[in-house]
Amino acid sequence: MTNDVLADQEAMRTSNVTQFERELPLVVLGEMVIMPHMTVPLQVGQGKSYRAMEQAWEEEREVLLIFVSENEIEGYKSNQAQQLPPIGVIAKLEEFIKLPDNTVRIILEGAYRARVLDAVQSEPFYRVRCLPLFDPEVSGMEIQALMETVKQQVDEFVDHLGEVPQEAVAFVHRIDRPGHLADIVTYGPAFEFKDRLEILKTLDPVERLRKAYLILARQIELLKLRQKIQQDTKEVLDQSQREYFLREQMRVIRRELGEDEESDDPIDELRRKIAELQAPDYVKDQALHEVRRLAQQGMNSPEAGVIRTYLDWIIHLPWADEEFPEIRITEAQKVLDEDHYGLEKVKERILEYLAVRKLAGNKMRSPILCFVGPPGVGKTSLGRSIARALNRKFVRASLGGVRDEAEIRGHRRTYIGAMPGRIIQGMKSAKSRSPVFMLDEIDKVGMDFRGDPTSALLEVLDPEQNNTFSDHYLEIPYDLSQVIFIATANQLEPIPSPLRDRMEIIEIGGYTEDEKMGIARGFLIPKQREFHGLTDDQLIITEKSIMKLVREYTREAGVRNLERELASLCRKVARKVASASDEQVPVADAPDSGTNNGTEPPALSFTIDVADVATYIGPERYTYGLASDKDEVGVATGVSWTYAGGDILSIEVLPVRGKGTLQITGQLGEIMKESAQAAMSYARSWAEQSGIDPKYFEDHAFHIHVPEGAVPKDGPSAGITLTTALISAVTGQPVRRDVAMTGEITLRGKVLGIGGLKEKTLAAHRAGIKTFILPKENTKDIGELPEKVKQELTLVPVSSMEEVLKIALNTTK
């Protein structure tokens, strides 16, 4: 500190000029505190603080410093500061030199504290009113003792810390005022920003020194504790090194004695397992590298458990090439027929897939099959059948709800509890390098801040890349090229396009009633009888009862709910059989009445007929047949597609007196609402051409409702159904109740193609519809429909709305 500044401070202190207010440029500094009696070089960016010092250099070279946290500085830059700090430091600019390279060299010297009053200027820099503050003169034995204690603390802190210039320590010992000593000590590394700010705000010099004493005492204790921990750690490491050398000596001695094979040393055991491992050289090299790390650190080191777990994964993963059993297409077809009823085209594609693998072997990269269809149609069980037909292991990984990329690629070993991803986990559980690996519910994979799992699946499902699949945990390539991957999904749309492009889509539609009957007879009923401990004689279910269950107790594309209803019947019968057996007296314990010839009582038998179904499992849940018992005006039957299959959809239109408005209810989506608007526009145009009074639409309001109102509905395929219902309501001609339709409509009355034709026709057939109107563009899809549907449904392809109206409207009434 310069003699001029000291002289100025002494003069102001002795003249008692403590109430003299001053207006000074304001410099806002971040998390650094410049105490009085300190000289500090500084770097300030081009802003208000820079302009304040530039102005001060031209005036009295004095500025007021305030210190705020980093997130508060932005408020001062944008004039959004809420409140000035109560205490600052008046400092003198000792140097403000602009260098040729456009940088500025600044040196500030803290002078004395100041109470910050208020801001008098904010542009182009802040100028504030402040009141200088000086430490009062204090003395006494207690203060001298406190100062000596703090100086001893400084010496002890320097001894623990080291690398502190002795000139700085000597300067501290020469200080004779408590406030000055507290300010200088605060500049040491033991004090954080909040501590220095607290010392700065403390105006009483003795209280200030006491706070500095407490902070120094805490930091010295932390330094002692840190040194103790370092010393203990060093002793542990030295002990581990000693154990390592002793273990190596023991190994040499055992080898000289010929006892090496009987060694139970875990390091030697790991080396032996790695030597016996049938794996590529790069895998063994990585494993041996980890074994060397484990030997150096010792079995008691903190990282030993992580290394052992990693080595266990490498040792137990299947690395060796395998000889594939011969694929027999006839046997594979037999297995598929045993496990699944129907699905002829799906089975045909699977047999083609197996035939190519048999003839081409590894010459051609096999495509990734993806079964897409409603729940309960047998997608997952098809994968099991493929594995059984190929005589390979079967592994299933459910991807539903997976949102973390690490679930596929694994976690890096830097994380606590890290483990490989589901792919590597599946390979370990299969104990084979060539299993049938099923990725279930691939359409339900999500994405969030932890990454996109579908992107990680791109490498897994790409035959050109998966021979060097990289798991974050293993950090070595793993060959997945021999794995047969099969994916399943309920919907195709949620699957990203790059992932969809890597798979061959095989769509599995819903079952017809006859197919459900066959599945129930051949698969579901025998399985449930066995699960519930019943014999074929104890439970007999008639075909009419099965049909009643199909039609009136389930409404689904698959057979999952049908199996539940059959299981319910089996439970009821099993209870009766069990109760009856409790009441019967065993033959061996029965009293000898002279009439018992030693035969057991006859077994109970229950036959479930149509009339018994409701008695066992309650009333019907669905109504089979047409939605209406007569042709109605303003009511048309459409069909909808859901991920669980198809369903019929009634659309009602009611014209009432009004002003030509259109009201739409039934929880419809935006696309379906737009279809209703398009249908309304076409109906107006059609009415004008058909000679209907145009004022009819101006004098009536139209209410369109689509039951069930609680079920969300969307899509453009109800366009012709909406139009038919509207025109029926306007003309008074009823719509045939045995006709269902689907198709998108344009403003000119053209009928455009739709998706999900198979599910929609199955729903119409299930509801007892006789005539089904479909877009002409979908004629190509008729060949995919079941034969029973094509035989019992009259399929009418149309290209315009006029054709629809000729078929759908009952003009005889």
Side-chain angles (χ1 to χ4, degrees):
M1 183 179 298
T2 63
N3 294 330
D4 293 338
V5 174
L6 289 172
D8 291 344
Q9 291 186 25
E10 190 63 26
M12 295 180 71
R13 183 182 298 108
T14 55
S15 60
N16 197 25
V17 192
T18 58
Q19 301 301 318
F20 180 73
E21 295 180 0
R22 306 184 62 186
E23 292 184 4
L24 295 176
L26 179 69
V27 175
V28 182
L29 297 181
E31 295 186 354
M32 63 172 293
V33 180
I34 300 176
M35 290 287 188
H37 319 297
M38 287 184 186
T39 302
V40 178
L42 196 63
Q43 290 184 352
V44 179
Q46 298 289 333
K48 290 188 175 183
S49 295
Y50 175 85
R51 292 193 292 271
M53 287 191 287
E54 197 174 33
Q55 182 66 26
W57 183 254
E58 297 176 2
E59 297 176 353
E60 299 179 4
R61 299 190 179 183
E62 285 192 338
V63 293
L64 177 67
L65 306 179
I66 62 172
F67 315 95
V68 297
S69 61
E70 293 295 339
N71 56 358
E72 292 178 301
I73 290 180
E74 297 299 324
Y76 289 95
K77 291 181 180 179
S78 58
N79 290 337
Q80 299 295 323
Q82 299 295 322
Q83 187 177 0
L84 292 169
I87 302 297
V89 173
I90 295 178
K92 189 174 185 62
L93 275 170
E94 291 296 324
E95 194 169 288
F96 188 86
I97 302 175
K98 298 179 181 179
L99 301 177
D101 58 351
N102 294 326
T103 59
V104 180
R105 189 166 65 191
I106 302 171
I107 296 180
L108 279 174
E109 185 175 14
Y112 39 86
R113 287 173 173 77
R115 190 181 303 279
V116 183
L117 301 177
D118 58 2
V120 297
Q121 173 187 320
S122 60
E123 293 293 341
F125 55 86
Y126 287 101
R127 189 183 291 274
V128 298
R129 287 192 311 115
C130 60
L131 184 67
L133 301 171
F134 301 96
D135 292 342
E137 292 290 341
V138 292
S139 62
M141 295 297 294
E142 183 180 351
I143 296 173
Q144 288 296 327
L146 179 60
M147 291 179 63
E148 288 299 322
T149 303
V150 171
K151 291 177 182 178
Q152 290 176 5
Q153 282 182 321
V154 171
D155 293 338
E156 188 175 1
F157 188 85
V158 169
D159 290 339
H160 285 291
L161 194 64
E163 298 181 0
V164 176
Q166 290 301 315
E167 294 82 3
V169 179
F171 174 75
V172 170
H173 279 276
R174 289 197 297 270
I175 298 174
D176 58 354
R177 292 197 299 274
H180 187 188
L181 179 60
D183 291 345
I184 293 300
V185 168
T186 307
Y187 195 63
F191 293 77
E192 299 177 354
F193 171 70
K194 61 179 182 179
D195 299 326
R196 292 171 179 165
L197 210 56
E198 182 65 25
I199 296 293
L200 178 67
K201 293 178 181 178
T202 306
L203 301 181
D204 185 355
V206 179
E207 182 64 25
R208 192 188 311 157
L209 188 59
R210 285 197 180 98
K211 289 184 178 181
Y213 162 78
L214 293 175
I215 296 173
L216 268 175
R218 184 181 72 238
Q219 291 298 323
I220 290 172
E221 288 300 320
L222 288 175
L223 281 175
K224 289 180 180 178
L225 184 60
R226 186 182 304 165
Q227 285 187 348
K228 182 178 184 304
I229 293 172
Q230 291 175 350
Q231 182 63 29
D232 293 344
T233 304
K234 182 176 182 300
E235 290 175 0
V236 170
L237 291 177
D238 291 343
Q239 179 68 19
S240 299
Q241 290 288 343
R242 180 171 175 272
E243 290 176 359
Y244 169 73
F245 288 121
L246 289 174
R247 192 179 295 110
E248 287 295 310
Q249 291 176 3
M250 290 175 62
R251 186 176 62 81
V252 173
I253 292 172
R254 282 198 298 267
R255 188 178 62 213
E256 294 294 329
L257 294 175
E259 300 176 355
D260 191 50
E261 293 182 356
E262 300 177 3
S263 170
D264 58 351
D265 184 23
I267 302 294
D268 294 339
E269 181 71 14
L270 287 172
R271 286 197 175 98
R272 182 183 62 79
K273 289 181 178 180
I274 294 170
E276 296 173 356
L277 185 64
Q278 297 182 6
D281 291 339
Y282 66 85
V283 176
K284 292 185 176 181
D285 293 343
Q286 177 69 15
L288 290 174
H289 171 72
E290 295 296 326
V291 169
R292 286 192 292 270
R293 286 185 59 218
L294 182 62
Q296 291 173 359
Q297 295 186 11
M299 299 301 293
N300 297 323
S301 67
E303 201 177 350
V306 177
I307 298 176
R308 285 293 301 270
T309 304
Y310 177 75
L311 289 171
D312 286 343
W313 275 100
I314 289 183
I315 291 172
H316 291 96
L317 275 174
W319 298 95
D321 292 332
E322 302 174 16
E323 292 187 4
F324 303 118
E326 183 183 0
I327 300 174
R328 302 179 65 86
I329 303 301
T330 307
E331 183 66 25
Q333 185 170 3
K334 180 182 177 183
V335 169
L336 291 174
D337 291 338
E338 287 177 356
D339 293 349
H340 296 87
Y341 182 90
L343 303 177
E344 300 303 329
K345 292 196 174 181
V346 178
K347 293 178 182 177
E348 182 181 353
R349 178 63 188 90
I350 292 173
L351 293 173
E352 292 172 359
Y353 172 84
L354 299 179
V356 172
R357 288 196 69 93
K358 177 178 181 178
L359 297 178
N362 296 328
K363 297 178 184 178
M364 188 190 80
R365 300 290 186 183
S366 299
I368 310 298
L369 301 181
C370 180
F371 300 141
V372 179
V377 295
K379 300 184 294 297
T380 304
S381 59
L382 274 172
R384 296 183 186 274
S385 298
I386 293 174
R388 193 157 74 91
L390 291 173
N391 197 20
R392 295 197 187 194
K393 299 291 183 64
F394 178 78
V395 183
R396 174 181 171 271
S398 179
L399 303 181
V402 171
R403 295 181 176 275
D404 189 357
E405 181 199 1
E407 291 282 339
I408 307 299
R409 287 189 178 277
H411 301 80
R412 298 194 182 277
R413 282 185 287 159
T414 52
Y415 297 103
I416 297 175
M419 61 188 304
R422 298 195 180 193
I423 304 299
I424 297 299
Q425 291 180 35
M427 299 302 294
K428 180 184 176 183
S429 63
K431 299 179 181 179
S432 169
R433 249 192 67 197
S434 56
V436 174
F437 203 123
M438 173 152 282
L439 301 172
D440 225 354
E441 310 292 352
I442 200 170
D443 58 328
K444 296 177 179 62
V445 176
M447 179 182 72
D448 63 6
F449 64 94
R450 291 167 291 189
D452 184 3
T454 57
S455 299
L457 286 172
L458 294 178
E459 182 184 2
V460 176
L461 299 182
D462 192 341
E464 300 298 329
Q465 301 181 42
N466 61 10
N467 58 337
T468 56
F469 172 68
S470 175
D471 186 275
H472 288 160
Y473 183 83
L474 291 182
E475 294 180 339
I476 49 178
Y478 191 86
D479 188 1
L480 297 174
S481 60
Q482 302 302 323
V483 180
I484 298 178
F485 285 103
I486 298 175
T488 70
N490 294 132
Q491 303 178 64
L492 197 57
E493 288 75 17
I495 305 176
S497 298
L499 187 58
R500 199 186 315 166
D501 184 60
R502 283 165 168 77
M503 301 185 293
E504 180 177 340
I505 307 300
I506 298 178
E507 295 191 3
I508 303 176
Y511 294 114
T512 63
E513 290 180 348
D514 288 348
E515 288 174 332
K516 289 182 180 180
M517 287 281 295
I519 294 171
R521 286 195 306 267
F523 298 91
L524 302 183
I525 294 177
K527 183 173 76 171
Q528 291 302 322
R529 278 203 197 105
E530 181 182 354
F531 284 175
H532 292 82
L534 300 173
T535 64
D536 295 350
D537 297 331
Q538 288 175 325
L539 174 61
I540 301 171
I541 303 177
T542 64
E543 292 195 2
K544 291 184 178 180
S545 302
I546 300 173
M547 184 59 71
K548 184 177 179 67
L549 290 174
V550 170
R551 289 178 171 176
E552 300 179 12
Y553 285 84
T554 63
R555 183 168 290 176
E556 57 178 343
V559 292
R560 197 165 284 163
N561 287 324
L562 177 60
E563 185 172 10
R564 291 192 184 101
E565 299 300 335
L566 291 171
S568 180
L569 282 176
C570 291
R571 287 196 303 272
K572 304 294 184 184
V573 172
R575 179 181 174 183
K576 291 188 176 184
V577 172
S579 299
S581 64
D582 291 343
E583 296 173 0
Q584 293 173 354
V585 180
V587 176
D589 299 333
D592 189 5
S593 60
T595 59
N596 192 335
N597 56 4
T599 60
E600 295 185 5
L604 293 176
S605 178
F606 294 89
T607 301
I608 309 297
D609 209 346
V610 176
D612 303 321
V613 174
T615 305
Y616 278 91
I617 59 177
E620 298 84 356
R621 296 179 179 84
Y622 303 100
T623 301
Y624 172 73
L626 299 176
S628 178
D629 56 355
K630 63 178 181 178
D631 300 346
E632 294 187 60
V633 175
V635 179
T637 303
V639 285
S640 64
W641 179 94
T642 66
Y643 76 97
D647 201 357
I648 61 171
L649 198 70
S650 293
I651 295 179
E652 302 174 349
V653 177
L654 181 65
V656 295
R657 288 289 180 181
K659 296 183 179 180
T661 58
L662 178 63
Q663 183 180 2
I664 306 172
T665 57
Q667 202 174 161
L668 308 186
E670 291 299 322
I671 299 175
M672 200 164 180
K673 289 179 181 178
E674 292 173 0
S675 294
Q677 296 285 352
M680 188 68 183
S681 298
Y682 175 80
R684 286 176 177 268
S685 174
W686 178 88
E688 291 179 6
Q689 297 174 9
S690 302
I692 297 175
D693 187 1
K695 291 185 178 181
Y696 183 87
F697 289 90
E698 299 175 3
D699 298 336
H700 289 80
F702 292 85
H703 186 167
I704 298 177
H705 180 67
V706 185
E708 301 169 354
V711 179
K713 312 164 193 72
D714 202 2
S717 60
I720 65 172
T721 315
L722 288 162
T723 309
T724 302
L726 273 168
I727 292 176
S728 171
V730 171
T731 60
Q733 294 177 341
V735 182
R736 289 172 53 189
R737 65 191 181 99
D738 62 342
V739 173
M741 61 196 77
T742 181
E744 182 179 355
I745 189 175
T746 68
L747 292 177
R748 298 185 179 184
K750 293 183 179 179
V751 180
L752 303 181
I754 49 87
L757 181 66
K758 182 177 181 180
E759 287 76 11
K760 292 178 179 179
T761 52
L762 284 173
H765 179 263
R766 195 162 54 231
I769 297 294
K770 302 302 180 185
T771 303
F772 189 85
I773 301 174
L774 68 152
K776 188 167 287 185
E777 294 181 18
N778 291 102
T779 307
K780 61 182 183 302
D781 301 322
I782 293 178
E784 302 292 330
L785 302 181
E787 287 299 325
K788 185 176 180 63
V789 172
K790 289 189 286 186
Q791 292 172 5
E792 299 185 4
L793 264 185
T794 303
L795 302 172
V796 184
V798 297
S799 59
S800 66
M801 196 63 213
E802 287 83 358
E803 299 177 60
V804 176
L805 296 176
K806 289 179 182 178
I807 301 167
L809 295 182
N810 189 343
T811 58
T812 62
K813 295 184 180 180

